[in-house]
Amino acid sequence: AMILILSTFSNKKEAHDIGKMLLNEKLIACYNIAPVESAYWWKDKIEETNEILMIMKTNKSFEQIEEFLIRYHSYETPEVIALEPKSVNKKYLKWVNTAC
């Protein structure tokens, strides 16, 4: 089964660097990044910042990707969220399974 992993990064370079490391380790089939505006509670106050959202596609376990991201991520508490798609077209799923 394929899962999507979402994580945010402080800048595009860090997102690309970690994404390429994940690709080189064959832990993900691909990633997408996009700029986002974030607002969140941090240390008893609301923070607002620009971040980079990364969406990773993989057939590996959540724990494998989570462990990798926690090891290399610059954030003290990185976002690592897995979503399981209800449906994925067969050709794309076959590609993900071949790429990882």
Side-chain angles (χ1 to χ4, degrees):
M2 184 182 98
I3 60 171
L4 306 176
I5 306 282
L6 281 63
S7 190
T8 51
F9 296 85
S10 62
N11 62 69
K12 196 186 280 191
K13 182 185 182 328
E14 181 185 14
H16 277 300
D17 288 350
I18 289 178
K20 287 175 185 165
M21 289 166 57
L22 285 159
L23 286 171
N24 285 328
E25 294 288 322
K26 295 234 178 229
L27 289 173
I28 62 172
C30 71
Y31 69 88
N32 308 104
I33 64 170
V36 293
E37 296 177 16
S38 300
Y40 50 90
W41 280 101
W42 185 249
K43 299 190 177 180
D44 295 326
K45 65 180 188 175
I46 294 174
E47 298 283 342
E48 293 184 34
T49 187
N50 293 322
E51 295 182 294
I52 301 297
L53 173 65
M54 182 189 292
I55 304 168
M56 296 153 265
K57 287 88 168 199
T58 186
N59 65 358
K60 304 299 184 201
S61 73
F62 171 78
E63 291 76 17
Q64 283 179 279
I65 307 302
E66 176 189 37
E67 182 182 314
F68 189 96
L69 288 174
I70 288 171
R71 183 180 312 132
Y72 294 106
H73 207 293
S74 66
Y75 286 177
E76 181 181 330
T77 307
E79 168 188 3
V80 186
I81 298 172
L83 302 173
E84 198 167 333
K86 185 176 178 181
S87 303
V88 180
N89 76 50
K90 286 183 174 91
K91 274 183 108 168
Y92 190 82
L93 184 57
K94 183 178 180 182
W95 171 76
V96 167
N97 288 330
T98 301
C100 287

